[in-house]
Amino acid sequence: MKHRELVAIIDFGAQYNQLIARRVRESGVYCEVFHHDTPWTEIVARRPQAIILTGGPASVYAPGAPRVDPAVFEAGIPVLGICYGMQLMAYMLGGVVGEGRHGEYGGAVLELVGSSPLLEGFAPAQRVWMSHGDLVEKPPPGFDVLARTANTPVAVMADATRGLYGVQFHPEVAHTPGGRKLLANFLLGIAGCRGDWTVSSFIEDSVTEIAARVGDGRAVAALSGGVDSAVAATLVARAIGERLTCIFVRHGLLREGEDAEVVRTFQGRQGMRLVVVDAEERFLRALKGVADPERKRKIIGETFIRVFEEEASRLGQVDFLVQGTIYPDVIESGHQGASLIKTHHNVGGLPECFGLVLIEPLRELFKDEVRRVGAELGLPPALLERHPFPGPGLAVRILGPITRKRLAVLRAADRIVTEEVKGAGWYGHLWQAFAVLLPVRSVGVMGDRRSYGQVVAVRAVQSEDAMTADWARLPHELLERISARLVNEVREVTRVVYDITPKPPATIEWE
Ligand code: XMP
């Protein structure tokens, strides 16, 4: 899609580089992340208004350490190097980078020793977050030192004439209170970005572009019940109306009331056509007796594709397939060497084998931006603010084989957890909260009788982006109510446990 202005973020592999992109967007400036191997000619052809070089785990002296094309520094485009990005800038332009000995991890006090539009609004001393092994000992010719900390003699450097800036600390993290200000100073002040990238301008541009691309053609979309597919379909419907058909495959693995909600929300919306396929029986048959999580995901993914394909072929001529891919998916799948932890089979995420041309209108958006687009398109807040839900649904929250009976138990348990979390005002503070049905049974006493029932684990986590997460410190009174309701209202449950493991080492889901 064409954007009015672009900031190119060149990624050297630090774990939190997505945060830089988010912060840039928060300043109203559109940006994209490019892997450091991307040829410079490709980046410069997009006419970026500014370049940000991110942090990364390497030392500039390590064999095979990532580099940039020296042309980056000669293009007349303002460049901000962060951490490794700054060290690389210093190294490539003739400064001295010191290796390893005096690393700094955690909070530090930044002391200004020079002035620059980059540091406008900064106090003479303020807290910043450091995380580095190497450091710049001597800036390259033409650079001034603008700030230092106790352990880092060159914490900020600049060659204002060439528009080159480097900061050793991390402006993108919350522990650097002036970080947003610094990025805004660089983007809006130094690089002259207008900061006019908004959700409304995004919708306007996308609708025009989709309408032009689809022309008289027809498109099909899969609704999963989740936010991304709902927003993507609604956006495409705004552009092409009834030439979009949405297919909702009822696989029977959603939570209580969700099937009905999808139908209610999309039936007749903006003239789009909705086809509901009842495939619960087919999915449960395919999953019968399967306990292995990866096999469950594979079966669900494959069955989904088959059912979808059959329905789509009934529609006659279709040219386009709408996908709810969002930016974190794009960045993540572009990461080289990232190991496969789980097969993230997104139900609704279909392969390109249909011969259909993909429309992925949310490819460039972060989750919070997707929600804002959805709100502006008039989707119900309950749908937009819903916690993320895995594509394979309740199948990966029932440990062991899936049966209708176990699904009913988990649905009832999950409803109680959600109701209580919402009732206590915690829902909006959590990334996810849900129930998991364990494959063990446990002894209990009910009245005067011993019982031998099922165990439910309650999982509630806080997270920025699901890459890491911590278990939520829910009040004991809330946990007590959840536990009491689970054992009283769901007859099969005799024991409730609360999961207190962070991610890593655990994952958020149990399978
Ligand atoms: P984990 O369990 O890997 O989950 O810490 C991270 C986030 O991803 C969701 N998740 C999935 N989403 N298909 C999906 O679409 C999947 O197979 C899947 N597995 C986990 C999970 O709910 C959490 O938000």
Side-chain angles (χ1 to χ4, degrees), residues 279-324:
E280 183 173 9
E281 192 57 48
R282 189 161 165 183
F283 276 85
L284 291 185
R285 223 180 313 123
L287 285 167
K288 195 165 179 205
V290 177
D292 177 70
E294 285 301 284
R295 268 200 72 211
K296 283 181 186 171
R297 282 189 165 81
K298 204 161 180 298
I299 290 170
I300 293 168
E302 285 171 4
T303 312
F304 183 87
I305 288 164
R306 244 174 277 132
V307 174
F308 186 86
E309 215 164 10
E310 286 163 18
E311 282 310 312
S313 67
R314 275 191 242 276
L315 299 174
Q317 176 63 36
V318 177
D319 320 275
F320 296 91
L321 174 68
V322 181
Q323 292 263 49

Side-chain angles (χ1 to χ4, degrees), residues 297 342-346 388-392 397 431-432 466 503 507-509 511:
R297 282 189 165 81
K342 277 179 196 172
T343 325
H344 273 214
H345 250 306
N346 277 317
F389 186 61
R397 292 180 181 170
W431 176 264
Q432 278 171 302
K503 171 183 180 174
T507 49
I508 295 175
E509 302 288 345
E511 287 200 329

Side-chain angles (χ1 to χ4, degrees), residues 6 63 193 325:
L6 167 76
C193 295
T325 319

Side-chain angles (χ1 to χ4, degrees), residues 67-137:
R67 301 260 185 274
V68 282
D69 192 318
V72 169
F73 304 114
E74 287 149 23
I77 302 169
V79 183
L80 173 67
I82 296 173
C83 196
Y84 179 80
M86 167 183 177
Q87 293 161 14
L88 186 64
M89 179 187 280
Y91 177 74
M92 289 180 67
L93 297 176
V96 178
V97 177
E99 223 176 334
R101 290 178 302 278
H102 356 261
E104 210 177 7
Y105 302 91
V109 176
L110 185 78
E111 225 184 290
L112 302 197
V113 293
S115 73
S116 157
L118 186 69
L119 298 172
E120 202 176 296
F122 270 60
Q126 72 174 77
R127 290 197 75 73
V128 293
W129 188 259
M130 290 285 193
S131 178
H132 60 102
D134 292 358
L135 50 73
V136 175
E137 284 172 353

Side-chain angles (χ1 to χ4, degrees), residues 209-228:
E209 188 186 284
I210 296 165
R213 235 182 112 196
V214 175
D216 294 331
R218 290 177 53 199
V220 65
L223 292 177
S224 67
V227 178
D228 304 342

